[in-house]
Amino acid sequence: MPNIEVILGDITKQAVDAIVNAANCSLLGGGGVDGAIHRAAGPELLAECRTLHGCETGKAKITKGYRLPAKYVIHTPGPVWQSGGYGEEALLRSCYRSCLELASQNGCETVDFPSISTGVYHFPLEKASRIAVGTIAAYLAEHPEIRRVRMVCFDARTKAHYDRALAELA
Ligand code: AR6
């Protein structure tokens, strides 16, 4: 898939049209990538998030990027992994799809995702990586307005899983 890439890096440093935040339903910040994005974007991001009145798991909302190099932040609360019997896989698919729909609606051509739900939400990485690249590939096949999507992985183990999931698609 030439328009999907996997890189090792810090998503807060990426100068793209939109970065995605693995948020929680409050949209008022947290730890992990969410904390890093709010720290780098500055307090104006939290101020805008307060006007959004939260977000359901699997859905997404968009804000400006403020002090980030990215123009927009698309916030999506991923599912907390329980046992797999609570619709977690469908909810994760819905996160990726909802974010890409918002990106299209806002004229974003380049979008970077973190590995949603695989940190403190404990979604198994092998399943999550397959869901992510499969959902992104299906969306891009129908939406040429998005030129490039990258998975920005924060550690080598995560990157290895996304590399493998992408190779399986080809
Ligand atoms: N750039 C890219 N990826 C990162 C960065 C970064 N700067 N920092 C962490 N990651 P997590 P979740 C990776 O726990 O599982 C928050 O408190 C991290 O290594 O951030 O969806 C929210 O407020 C992991 O691979 O998100 C929610 O309450 C991935 O990002 C909750 O955590 C996701 O880990 C969401 O949990």
Side-chain angles (χ1 to χ4, degrees):
M1 293 295 296
N3 44 2
I4 306 179
E5 295 172 18
V6 178
I7 64 165
L8 193 59
D10 179 345
I11 203 164
T12 68
K13 306 274 196 262
Q14 309 305 322
V16 289
D17 292 331
I19 63 167
V20 171
N21 181 14
N24 59 63
C25 292
S26 78
L27 299 187
L28 298 179
V33 70
D34 192 4
I37 288 172
H38 275 273
R39 275 194 300 280
E44 298 95 335
L45 178 62
L46 183 58
E48 185 175 356
C49 284
R50 284 191 199 287
T51 69
L52 300 176
H53 306 295
C55 184
E56 285 171 43
T57 302
K59 304 272 174 64
K61 293 193 177 177
I62 191 165
T63 64
K64 289 185 273 187
Y66 298 98
R67 299 178 203 175
L68 290 165
K71 189 166 173 206
Y72 294 105
V73 181
I74 299 174
H75 307 261
T76 187
V80 178
W81 181 263
Q82 299 178 72
S83 60
Y86 293 84
E88 294 96 324
E89 297 193 24
L91 286 166
L92 188 63
R93 216 170 280 120
S94 172
C95 285
Y96 282 95
R97 190 157 184 104
S98 301
C99 288
L100 291 166
E101 284 168 358
L102 270 181
S104 289
Q105 288 160 17
N106 288 276
C108 299
E109 297 185 355
T110 52
V111 183
D112 281 6
F113 282 92
S115 178
I116 299 166
S117 283
T118 68
V120 302
Y121 281 179
H122 291 300
F123 204 109
L125 200 40
E126 189 171 339
K127 272 190 207 303
S129 57
R130 288 185 176 144
I131 289 169
V133 300
T135 307
I136 294 165
Y139 188 88
L140 293 183
E142 297 165 6
H143 294 273
E145 71 275 12
I146 299 191
R147 278 196 298 111
R148 187 193 70 194
V149 174
R150 297 190 303 193
M151 292 302 312
V152 180
C153 302
F154 208 45
D155 60 87
R157 177 173 166 262
T158 300
K159 182 175 182 291
H161 275 89
Y162 283 87
D163 279 333
R164 197 172 313 141
L166 191 56
E168 280 172 8
L169 269 190

